[in-house]
Structure formats: structure tokens, C-alpha cells
């Protein structure tokens, strides 16, 4: 999908020609991933975007980062890259600590020295998941798995090494790459039964909305800094999320027949190695205040993305 988006007055996203042209020199890490690829597509053309591949900026060797960054000209770093699979982090804890924590620290030091603005992408998994209410930026972070610990350590290190940095916590990303809705649609189109955990809650969030929010935030004077939750409005369980995907996809003709998503319990799920926090619904009140507009719901953002992408979904199903 390569449509351009801009923030609508209701905090949502209009598919219109984007207007801002502040001409930043942006270095984005992780541009083969879901969020990084979307940010790169949104900003290319209006900003100078550097998107080093892993061979040019390998986060598993943090001591090489100063030399590697020294060759790159940028005034804003958006650090998306991470070892993002909680189970992989559990299996390879030392590598996870290096990639997620030590490399972020090295990047933050370089940004401070340059100086360059830094946006560190973080996660709802910094929370323990015990509190069944929207969590705001001042709620205590208490991770329960190694992935969460490495990302929390990175948050603290970045804020300490690079005063003025923005730590942007996101959750349940969709809109690029292989995300949860893509998996649900692939399985549903293949006629497989769809089952979703019904007692684990968070906020599905559009990578395209994140691209717009970040651009609005870094342009503010002074730019947003500290910890900020970047998510759409509302809450979902894996089950209600999957059901919404199937219902909208059926309306759009992506799925030929309605699909009823079955529920399962987190405690009964055997497939996870890492512990998962149960309630990590992020509050986006601070984001709405900074944007000066309400933030649209995840359902609205999802419906728009499915509508814009329906042709490519149908094409892929044709080639199944
Ligand atoms: N996905 C979610 O729902 C979610 C939820 C909460 C928070 N987040 C956070 O959001 C950010 C982006 O997540 P995502 O889902 O877009 O990630 P992703 O799709 O898993 O992509 C990860 C990216 O990091 C790169 N990477 C991994 N190890 C690397 C290394 N050693 N050196 C250099 N690059 C490396 C990958 O490059 P290769 O292609 O070379 O492997 C890839 O570009 C992450 O910080 C994640 O913690 C994501």
C-alpha cells in the first residue's frame, strides 16, 4: 500500500496528499520490519530517509555502532529495530539484551553527542499486565518476561543517555508486514478454524497512524519527550480483534462467508515460551492532548486499512 495519509481533524487518517515538508534527515532502523517499513514509506520523498540494512548497522555488535553511525548524516533517529519475539528473547537472553538494550544505549549516546533527536520505539510489554484498566505513562513498568525487561532497560538507558529523547510505547501493530490480521485472513481464507485468546487485552494500532503522530510530534516546539503511549483508542482481546478482522473482511468481500472466531484462555495456551502480560491496554490521553485532537479507534483504523488493502488481499488469496 503506498497511499499517503494525513491527520484528520478527528485525529484519524485521511488518504490525501500529505502536506508537511519540514525536510528532516531521518535515520530509521528496522525498515525490513512492520513499523520501520511503514515509516520509511510514509516519510520518503518529503524527508531524507536513511534506512541502513542489518549489514550496515548490526545491533548485535553495539561497539561498532559509533563508527557505523559516523558515516551517516541525520538529525532524527527513529529506532524501530528490535528482537521483538518474546519467545526468541527467552531462548536467546544474552542476544536479546545486546540487541534491545545495549544497542539502544549506544544509539542514544551517539544521538546525544551529535546532537540528534531520538525516538525509541518501546512496548506495552514493559507492564506486568495485572491492572485491568488503561495504563498511562506514569504507571509503574514491571515486566514479566525477558523481552519486556530488555525493552524497559532500553527505555531507561535512552532517557538517561539522550535527554530530550522520546520513548514511544506501541502495541499490537497492524498495517504492514505480516501482522495478526494478515495471519487471521490467511487462515480464514484457507478455511481453517479461527481461535483467539479471549482474556488477554491490549490496543491494536495502525502503523500508518503512528507515522502521522510521530511527524506531528517531532514538529512541535518543544518536541514531545519522555515516555508517551502511541496507540489507537479502545481495547481488544485477541478474540474480539480476530472477529473484527473477519467481519470487516467479509463486508469488503475479502472473505466470501462470515467467520465465527472461537475463544480460548491465556492460561490454557501451551504455545508460548515467554510469559505474556494479560492486561496492557495503553491510555492515549497524553497523545490526544499533544495532538490537540481525539485519537480515532482501532476499529476505524483497521477498517480503513482493510479497505485500502482489499485488492492486494484478494490478489494474494487468488495465488494461494
Ligand atoms: N509488532 C508489534 O505488535 C509490537 C508491539 C509492541 C512493540 N513493538 C515494538 O515496535 C518496534 C517495531 O516492531 P516490528 O513489529 O515492526 O518489528 P519486526 O517486524 O519484528 O522487525 C524487526 C526489525 O528489527 C531488525 N533487527 C532485528 N535484529 C537486528 C539486529 N541484530 N541488527 C539490525 N537489525 C535488527 C529486523 O531486521 P531483519 O529483517 O534483518 O531481521 C527488522 O527490520 C520494536 O521496537 C518492537 O519492540 C512491536
Amino acid at each position: 500500500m503506498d497511499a499517503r495519509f494525513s491527520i484528520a481533524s478527528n485525529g484519524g487518517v485521511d488518504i490525501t496528499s500529505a502536506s508537511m515538508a519540514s525536510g528532516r534527515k531521518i535515520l530509521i532502523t528496522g525498515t525490513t520490519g512492520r513499523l520501520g517499513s511503514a515509516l520509511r514509506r510514509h516519510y520518503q520523498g518529503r524527508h531524507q530517509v536513511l534506512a541502513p540494512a542489518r549489514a550496515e548497522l548490526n545491533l548485535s555488535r553495539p561497539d561498532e555502532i559509533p563508527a557505523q553511525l559516523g558515516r551517516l548524516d541525520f538529525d532524527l533517529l527513529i529506532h524501530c529495530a528490535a528482537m521483538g519475539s518474546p519467545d526468541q528473547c527467552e531462548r536467546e537472553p544474552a542476544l536479546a539484551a545486546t540487541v534491545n538494550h545495549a544497542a539502544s544505549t549506544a544509539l542514544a549516546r551517539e544521538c546525544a553527542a551529535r546532537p540528534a533527536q531520538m525516538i525509541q520505539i518501546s512496548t506495552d510489554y514493559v507492564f506486568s499486565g495485572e491492572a485491568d484498566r488503561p495504563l498511562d505513562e506514569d504507571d509503574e513498568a514491571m515486566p514479566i518476561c525477558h523481552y519486556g525487561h530488555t525493552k524497559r532497560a532500553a527505555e531507561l538507558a535512552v532517557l538517561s543517555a539522550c535527554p530530550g529523547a522520546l520513548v514511544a510505547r506501541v502495541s499490537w501493530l497492524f498495517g504492514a508486514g505480516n501482522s495478526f490480521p494478515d495471519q487471521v485472513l490467511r487462515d480464514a481464507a484457507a478455511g481453517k478454524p479461527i481461535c483467539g485468546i479471549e482474556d488477554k487485552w491490549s490496543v491494536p494500532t495502525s502503523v500508518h497512524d503512528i507515522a502521522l503522530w510521530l511527524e506531528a510530534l517531532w514538529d512541535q516546539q518543544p518536541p514531545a519527550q519522555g515516555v508517551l503511549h502511541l496507540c489507537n483508542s479502545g481495547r481488544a482481546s485477541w478474540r474480539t480483534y480476530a472477529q473484527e478482522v473477519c467481519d470487516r473482511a467479509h463486508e469488503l468481500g475479502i472473505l466470501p462467508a462470515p467467520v465465527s472466531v472461537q475463544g480460548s484462555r491465556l492460561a490454557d495456551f501451551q504455545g508460548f515460551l515467554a510469559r505474556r502480560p494479560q492486561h496492557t491496554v495503553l491510555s492515549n490521553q497524553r497523545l490526544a492532548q499533544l495532538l490537540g485532537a481525539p485519537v480515532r479507534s482501532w476499529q476505524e483504523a483497521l477498517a480503513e486499512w482493510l479497505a485500502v488493502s482489499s485488492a492486494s488481499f484478494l490478489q494474494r488469496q487468488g495465488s494461494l
Side-chain angles (χ1 to χ4, degrees):
M1 188 176 75
D2 45 27
R4 283 285 170 78
F5 295 78
S6 63
I7 293 182
S9 54
N10 67 354
V13 176
D14 285 334
I15 305 174
T16 55
S17 162
S19 57
M20 283 186 282
S22 60
R24 299 293 301 260
K25 294 180 197 167
I26 310 172
L27 171 63
I28 306 175
T29 66
T31 50
T32 52
R34 281 165 282 242
L35 181 58
S37 64
L39 298 185
R40 178 187 194 172
R41 257 194 331 266
H42 275 273
Y43 302 147
Q44 246 169 4
R46 292 173 301 113
H47 301 281
Q48 293 175 44
V49 176
L50 293 170
R54 188 189 277 240
E56 296 156 310
L57 188 63
N58 191 336
L59 304 177
S60 61
R61 294 198 290 271
D63 48 324
E64 294 177 11
I65 284 177
Q68 290 173 325
L69 284 197
R71 295 191 278 270
L72 303 172
D73 182 22
F74 65 95
D75 57 31
L76 168 64
L77 167 66
I78 308 179
H79 181 33
C80 302
M83 216 164 121
S85 155
D87 292 340
Q88 195 196 347
C89 291
E90 220 68 27
R91 274 191 294 270
E92 298 181 83
L95 182 61
T98 301
V99 171
N100 290 351
H101 176 201
S104 300
T105 311
L107 290 169
R109 288 196 184 121
E110 290 305 307
C111 285
R114 192 165 279 250
Q117 210 175 341
M118 178 165 181
I119 298 175
Q120 168 80 9
I121 303 298
S122 193
T123 172
D124 55 328
Y125 272 42
V126 298
F127 291 112
S128 68
E130 279 161 25
D132 184 8
R133 59 175 171 76
L135 299 159
D136 66 36
E137 290 81 354
D138 295 327
D139 276 304
E140 189 181 3
M142 225 190 292
I144 59 167
C145 63
H146 194 61
Y147 167 66
H149 278 292
T150 60
K151 295 291 285 187
R152 177 60 180 156
E155 288 186 348
L156 295 171
V158 166
L159 291 172
S160 152
C162 185
L166 177 68
V167 167
R169 292 182 185 144
V170 303
S171 59
W172 289 10
L173 301 175
F174 68 83
N178 186 23
S179 59
F180 181 75
D182 302 87
Q183 293 160 21
V184 168
L185 288 178
R186 212 168 32 239
D187 287 351
K192 294 183 187 167
I194 308 296
C195 187
I197 292 171
E198 61 192 358
D199 59 347
K200 176 170 163 50
W201 299 87
S202 190
V203 193
T205 295
S206 158
V207 291
H208 307 291
D209 287 10
I210 290 175
L212 294 174
W213 298 331
L214 287 178
E215 195 167 21
L217 293 168
W218 83 55
D219 264 1
Q220 288 187 345
Q221 283 310 324
Q225 55 180 273
V227 178
L228 180 63
H229 292 173
L230 288 192
C231 60
N232 285 110
S233 294
R235 73 197 291 260
S237 68
W238 287 119
R239 183 185 180 186
T240 56
Y241 188 11
Q243 189 63 63
E244 185 76 17
V245 170
C246 291
D247 291 349
R248 297 290 80 75
H250 176 51
E251 276 172 15
L252 289 162
I254 300 170
L255 293 177
V259 171
S260 177
V261 177
Q262 303 305 303
S264 61
R265 312 284 295 174
L266 182 58
D268 297 334
F269 192 77
Q270 303 294 319
F272 294 144
L273 185 60
R275 279 182 73 201
R276 261 60 174 182
Q278 191 171 359
H279 301 280
T280 57
V281 174
L282 302 178
S283 161
N284 59 18
Q285 278 186 11
R286 186 176 169 219
L287 172 65
Q289 268 169 11
L290 288 168
L291 295 176
V295 175
R296 70 175 174 167
S297 70
W298 66 265
Q299 291 95 330
E300 198 182 336
L302 177 73
E304 180 182 86
W305 171 64
L306 287 173
V308 171
S309 322
S310 57
S312 65
F313 278 119
L314 287 166
Q315 210 173 23
R316 268 183 268 159
Q317 281 165 28
S319 61
L320 276 177

